[in-house]
Amino acid sequence: MVKQVHEVFEEFDKAKTVAERVKILQMNETWALKDIIKGSMHPKIEWLVPTGEVPYTKCNDWDHPTTLLKKHLDFKYVAKGSVGNSLPSHKREMIFLGIVESIHPADAELVCKMINKKPPTKRLTVKIVKEAFPGLL
């Protein structure tokens, strides 16, 4: 069964060694996981939505309509240099709110960290990412 992105990072944080952390990332590789990592840590990726505290209504953790594994595809509407460039800012912001308000609250927090260019977890370093996913950053 595919783990949700926040579940991968919860397991990642419990790992004791760098090798274990790398293995956890590699064993749970999904495009959503890599998008969160890349969107948070890649210096050339810019987001076209306001940074800082995101005012949104969180879903219940047991009752969310979709998952980050599906909604990560909508990041293209809020990233600079993609489809989002041609959208009016209010439309981009509505799409962004649609993402964070429809997924698990822990995944929504990861998305909010991402647009603020903060790593999903303090233990995740560029070295670990480059070892787990060469070429991602």
Side-chain angles (χ1 to χ4, degrees):
M1 186 166 111
V2 177
K3 292 179 184 170
Q4 297 299 317
V5 177
H6 72 274
E7 294 172 328
V8 174
F9 285 118
E10 287 169 5
E11 185 179 345
F12 176 91
D13 280 340
K14 292 176 185 173
K16 302 286 185 216
T17 67
V18 170
E20 286 178 51
R21 292 182 186 124
V22 168
K23 187 175 180 180
I24 288 166
L25 292 176
Q26 290 174 333
M27 288 176 48
N28 295 287
E29 179 180 0
T30 61
W31 284 109
L33 175 71
K34 293 195 303 188
D35 281 351
I36 288 291
I37 294 169
K38 189 173 183 178
S40 307
M41 301 176 81
H42 198 289
K44 291 187 179 177
I45 293 179
E46 294 180 40
W47 299 103
L48 298 172
V49 290
T51 57
E53 188 73 25
V54 179
Y56 69 100
T57 305
K58 294 180 182 181
C59 281
N60 296 318
D61 56 354
W62 67 88
D63 183 28
H64 43 89
T66 188
T67 68
L68 185 54
L69 297 169
K70 294 177 184 174
K71 291 301 280 184
H72 76 99
L73 297 171
D74 290 347
F75 290 166
K76 66 185 172 202
Y77 297 110
V78 295
K80 186 174 183 179
S82 66
V83 180
N85 283 357
S86 62
L87 294 174
S89 61
H90 71 279
K91 216 64 129 180
R92 279 193 304 267
E93 290 171 23
M94 292 304 295
I95 291 169
F96 179 74
L97 287 175
I99 296 169
V100 294
E101 289 183 348
S102 64
I103 60 178
H104 190 284
D107 282 338
E109 287 180 33
L110 294 173
V111 173
C112 293
K113 284 183 176 183
M114 178 185 73
I115 64 149
N116 285 295
K117 300 304 275 185
K118 294 179 181 174
T121 175
K122 293 177 185 173
R123 295 178 183 256
L124 186 66
T125 63
V126 172
K127 179 185 174 205
I128 292 173
V129 174
K130 286 185 176 182
E131 192 173 332
F133 308 122
L136 185 64
L137 299 180

